[in-house]
Every structure is written in structure tokens, then in C-alpha cells.
Amino acid sequence: MSYTESVQPLFRPYTLGKLTLANRIVMAPMTRNFSPNGIPGPDVAAYYRRRAENNVGLIVTEGTIVDHADSSYQENVPFIYGEEALEGWANVVSEVHEAGGKIVPQIWHMGARKNVNDYSESEVVEIVNAFAEAASNAKRIGFDGIEIHGAHGYLVDQFFWEKTNERTDRYGGSLVARTRFAEEVVKACRDAVGPDFTIILRISQWKESDFTAKLAKTPDELKQFLTPLVEAGVDIFHCSTRRFWEPEFEGSDLNLAGWVKQITGKQAITVGSIGLDGDFISLFKEGKGASNVGIESLVQKLENDEFDLVAIGRALLVDPEWATKIREGRLDDLVPFTAEALKTLS
């Protein structure tokens, strides 16, 4: 079998309900800070269009901020509220659709300005409503679904994790109780967009403050954690790991996406250093770059039905033609992920 034949599973069409994709490749959300005053401009539209033109089936945008006072602590991160920001996103959507792609916004509350334990229940309800408003905005301006950011130590994930959630009210306590905030967010978003609009939830075990953290230490705990979220209305789980090839629990080769799909029966996206031979942290902490490597093991896991979609982050960040080059076997043309490449993003 030739190389181009071996990677064809990545380029099979995908359908879930009303969401139909040309292939299994997803652009992972990556913050760029290129939206002054929260407004994505023509350059943002052009950035995403280039990926859609080059065989990316689904684009998940960088995190977009919900309408809440404490939702962001970074400048130039785009909003998903307000007339100007929504007009900017409508243009992004139009450009991606014209290029044949599909696109969903990642909806985000950073949750760093206030300790998760200090939000009153009434303020928690305000934040839930802000997520629902963002979901409604996304549907209204033509996005193909939404992704809720519930990973990496941001607000939703702060409710999940026992080390950050010390609440004694209905949003804290047991593993299941700590999912209640996310459950309410998902339900509110589902009510806002209706039954046929795709809702993705991004989750991770690891945190930016602790790469070895585990929300669920066993498959049974993972089932307890996921069940309320499934019942709330999640269609697809975007399972963030630092290295997709690493098993999640002892005694099985399944990664996090594999376990999530097996436990829930829901669709799953895998992500984590795909197309790279180094991990994200070493680039910045040790000054290392990362080169593209073979993806045969990834394709085999996809063929084994361990997950349904494959999210590419850094490789697509530096090389908008990554998917096209993979499909055509142009491996020598791939742009390695290095600090130098980051300076010339297009």
C-alpha cells in the first residue's frame, strides 16, 4: 500500500446529524490574540479560509469570550457577543463556507480573575446564561455548531477539578456534583440552539498547572464524570491530551478519546502532538522545536474506530497546507513547528 493510500482514512467524509464534513481532519482551537477590541477582522477570516481551502474538514476557532465581566484576562482575544464582533465572525463563517469548509466557535470563559469558589450561585447562573447567549449568537450568524471549552484549567474545568473546586453548595462536592455547572451550561446551550445543532465539549485530564492531573483516575470514574454531560446534550467530546499515542489507563492501549467513545457511545475527537515529534511544553520551556513525523499509528487507531475525528493544532498553525500535503504525500514540503515558523504565521 502506498503512503497516499494509507492516509486515506483521514479523508473519508463524516456525518453526524446535520453536520457533514468532507473529511476527518479538524483544526484545533489555538489562541492568537489577533482580534483588537475583541473584533475578528479580515485577516482572521483569511487565516481560517486558508485552512478550509486546504482540506481541513472542520475548523474549531480560537477561544471566543462570553459576555461576562470576568471572562477574559488577555487582550485581543475575540468576543462572541456584540454587534461588531459578530459581524466579524459572520464574515469568517462566510469565507470558510465559500472555501468548502465547516466552522464552529470555541466558547470560552477563562475564569482566572476570581477563584471558582467565590462565585455566588446567582453569578454562576449569569455565566450559564452567557454561554447560552453565545451559542445562540453562533447559530444565528451561521456557524455549523459550537464547542464549549471545558479543559485545561479554565472556568468550566475549575468546577470539574477537586483541587480548584472546594465549593460546598450544589456545584461542589463529589465528582458528579462537580460536573453540575458544565451540565447546566450544556443544557442551556442546547435549549438555545435546538436539538439539531452540534455541541462539542472539550475536556482534558491534564491542567496547565499540573500535567499529571486526573479528573477520573479509573474508567469507572470517567463514566461517572461523563454520564451527566451526555445526558445534558453533548454530541461530540473533544478529548485533549498532550500526546495522542499515550494510553489513558493501565491495561489498555486506548487513549482518552478511545475511552470516552467506548464509555459513552458518543463521537470523539482525539488531539495531542499530531504531526509533531515533540510536545508543546518542551518548545517553550526547553527552547526545542518540533518536526513533523509519521502518522501511521494515528490512522490505525482511526481505522480501529477508537475515535471519529482527528484535531491538528500546531502543525496547522504554522502550515495552512498541512492537510493537503499529507493527502498528497508531500512530506518533504511540510513546515516544521519551530519558534522561527511561529514568527511568520499566515
Side-chain angles (χ1 to χ4, degrees), residues 70-146:
D70 295 321
S71 60
S72 175
Y73 57 87
Q74 295 182 17
E75 293 184 359
N76 303 325
V77 173
F79 301 156
I80 190 67
Y81 65 90
E83 183 178 346
E84 288 187 86
L86 294 176
E87 286 179 358
W89 280 122
N91 183 48
V92 173
V93 171
S94 177
E95 291 286 338
V96 168
H97 285 171
E98 189 175 295
K102 298 293 177 67
I103 184 168
V104 303
Q106 185 185 72
I107 299 175
W108 194 18
H109 190 303
M110 296 186 191
R113 289 187 173 181
K114 183 184 290 188
N115 188 295
V116 69
N117 305 301
D118 294 336
Y119 288 100
S120 66
E121 287 200 35
S122 62
E123 192 171 10
V124 171
V125 172
E126 289 177 9
I127 298 170
V128 169
N129 291 336
F131 272 92
E133 179 188 11
S136 179
N137 289 339
K139 183 177 182 180
R140 177 166 55 83
I141 63 176
F143 278 108
D144 300 294
I146 60 166

Side-chain angles (χ1 to χ4, degrees), residues 17 56 80 94 105 119 171 185 204 227 238 253 280 328 338 343:
V56 174
I80 190 67
S94 177
Y119 288 100
Y171 296 105
V185 166
S204 69
T227 298
H238 188 172
D253 290 334
F280 185 56
E328 296 176 354
T338 63
K343 297 177 183 178

Side-chain angles (χ1 to χ4, degrees), residues 200-220:
I200 304 167
L201 177 65
R202 197 175 213 209
I203 59 172
S204 69
Q205 295 262 48
W206 66 273
K207 320 299 168 198
E208 290 189 343
S209 61
D210 185 353
F211 301 133
T212 64
K214 295 275 190 182
L215 291 175
K217 299 176 179 64
T218 65
D220 183 62

Side-chain angles (χ1 to χ4, degrees), residues 221-250:
E221 286 188 355
L222 186 61
K223 183 176 182 179
Q224 293 177 49
F225 170 74
L226 293 169
T227 298
L229 304 172
V230 170
E231 293 174 350
V234 173
D235 296 305
I236 304 173
F237 286 94
H238 188 172
C239 305
S240 179
T241 55
R242 293 175 64 211
R243 305 174 183 92
F244 79 89
W245 58 87
E246 293 183 342
E248 190 59 37
F249 302 114
E250 290 186 8

Side-chain angles (χ1 to χ4, degrees), residues 105-322:
Q106 185 185 72
I107 299 175
W108 194 18
H109 190 303
M110 296 186 191
R113 289 187 173 181
K114 183 184 290 188
N115 188 295
V116 69
N117 305 301
D118 294 336
Y119 288 100
S120 66
E121 287 200 35
S122 62
E123 192 171 10
V124 171
V125 172
E126 289 177 9
I127 298 170
V128 169
N129 291 336
F131 272 92
E133 179 188 11
S136 179
N137 289 339
K139 183 177 182 180
R140 177 166 55 83
I141 63 176
F143 278 108
D144 300 294
I146 60 166
E147 175 171 290
I148 298 165
H149 197 344
H152 306 163
Y154 296 108
L155 185 68
V156 174
D157 197 26
Q158 290 169 24
F159 277 86
F160 286 152
W161 197 25
E162 61 185 349
K163 290 190 178 181
T164 47
N165 185 347
E166 299 175 346
R167 299 176 71 104
T168 57
D169 61 5
R170 60 194 301 271
Y171 296 105
S174 69
L175 175 62
V176 172
R178 296 195 305 273
T179 69
R180 185 165 286 120
F181 172 66
E183 179 186 359
E184 292 184 1
V185 166
V186 174
K187 283 182 177 178
C189 289
R190 177 58 70 202
D191 288 344
V193 300
D196 299 324
F197 198 66
T198 300
I199 295 179
I200 304 167
L201 177 65
R202 197 175 213 209
I203 59 172
S204 69
Q205 295 262 48
W206 66 273
K207 320 299 168 198
E208 290 189 343
S209 61
D210 185 353
F211 301 133
T212 64
K214 295 275 190 182
L215 291 175
K217 299 176 179 64
T218 65
D220 183 62
E221 286 188 355
L222 186 61
K223 183 176 182 179
Q224 293 177 49
F225 170 74
L226 293 169
T227 298
L229 304 172
V230 170
E231 293 174 350
V234 173
D235 296 305
I236 304 173
F237 286 94
H238 188 172
C239 305
S240 179
T241 55
R242 293 175 64 211
R243 305 174 183 92
F244 79 89
W245 58 87
E246 293 183 342
E248 190 59 37
F249 302 114
E250 290 186 8
S252 169
D253 290 334
L254 291 177
N255 67 6
L256 181 60
W259 274 108
V260 168
K261 180 169 184 176
Q262 178 173 288
I263 287 170
T264 66
K266 291 292 184 179
Q267 305 285 279
I269 304 171
T270 196
V271 68
S273 298
I274 294 170
L276 306 176
D277 66 0
D279 64 66
F280 185 56
I281 306 306
S282 69
L283 175 73
F284 294 100
K285 286 195 173 180
E286 302 169 24
K288 295 180 180 178
S291 301
N292 292 280
V293 294
I295 56 173
E296 291 80 5
S297 63
L298 174 76
V299 174
Q300 186 59 58
K301 285 178 175 292
L302 181 65
E303 283 284 76
N304 292 344
D305 202 31
E306 294 180 23
F307 39 76
D308 305 279
L309 298 165
V310 172
I312 315 297
R314 289 152 283 157
L316 267 175
L317 182 67
V318 297
D319 190 349
E321 298 180 19
W322 184 89

